[in-house]
Amino acid sequence: IIKNLIGNLNEREREILLSVFAFNEDDSRSLQDIGEKFGITRQRISIIKQNILEKLKLRLIQEEDKITEEILKNSTEIEKKVLGYRFGLNNKKAISREKTKVVVGISENEVEKIENKFLKGIFSYYIENI
């Protein structure tokens, strides 16, 4: 699933994905920094990131994936709840970050960190195995 998604990205999108989720670095950089690196705006980086995440989310909702199951096995209960709500893993219906923070009782920033950790785990697996 993810291998096909990543395989369909152009080189620039793949590099942006690597930068946004800091696959090649210890800390992720700001969208502004990434935009400057690629000569595009922070807003364009954000749009590219959202497009990739939407494609991924739809694929995760449509099909069970063994790597997703593996990541969930190693996740805390709060992480499982957040991922279940955000990616519709429980009932195939994803809810917004804002609703997730209310239901789970954590900040929107914490919800985003959990999402990014999960997505980084999935992308890392498939990038290493392309």
Side-chain angles (χ1 to χ4, degrees):
I1 298 168
I2 307 305
K3 184 176 181 179
N4 291 337
L5 172 64
I6 294 171
N8 289 325
L9 298 175
N10 64 43
E11 186 63 31
R12 186 169 104 169
E13 289 173 324
R14 190 175 293 135
E15 288 298 317
I16 289 170
L17 175 70
L18 292 172
S19 295
V20 168
F21 290 103
F23 289 108
N24 299 327
E25 305 155 11
D26 291 332
D27 295 316
S28 62
R29 297 181 350 214
S30 72
L31 296 180
Q32 182 70 38
D33 290 341
I34 296 167
E36 288 172 7
K37 175 182 175 184
F38 291 96
I40 56 180
T41 66
R42 176 185 64 79
Q43 292 85 1
R44 184 68 188 131
I45 293 292
S46 183
I47 290 168
I48 292 169
K49 175 185 173 185
Q50 273 313 113
N51 289 341
I52 293 168
L53 295 180
E54 286 303 314
K55 288 176 188 177
L56 173 61
K57 182 168 60 172
L58 289 173
R59 299 295 284 199
L60 288 173
I61 291 169
Q62 293 169 356
E63 299 180 33
E64 285 297 318
D65 185 54
K66 288 183 182 181
I67 196 64
T68 300
E69 292 174 16
E70 199 60 38
I71 291 170
L72 290 174
K73 278 190 222 176
N74 298 316
S75 299
T76 68
E77 288 305 311
I78 288 186
E79 289 172 336
K80 288 177 187 175
K81 285 181 184 179
V82 166
L83 298 170
Y85 288 124
R86 285 297 292 135
F87 294 100
L89 298 176
N90 302 329
N91 61 4
K92 308 285 188 217
K93 185 176 179 187
I95 65 172
S96 71
R97 211 177 265 158
E98 188 171 310
K99 287 182 182 177
T100 300
K101 79 174 186 171
V102 172
V103 172
V104 179
I106 62 176
S107 73
E108 196 166 335
N109 188 42
E110 290 172 297
V111 171
E112 183 177 14
K113 284 181 183 179
I114 291 169
E115 287 176 27
N116 287 342
K117 176 183 171 187
F118 174 67
L119 294 171
K120 184 175 180 177
I122 290 174
F123 283 132
S124 291
Y125 174 81
Y126 285 105
I127 286 171
E128 291 170 8
N129 293 290
I130 286 182

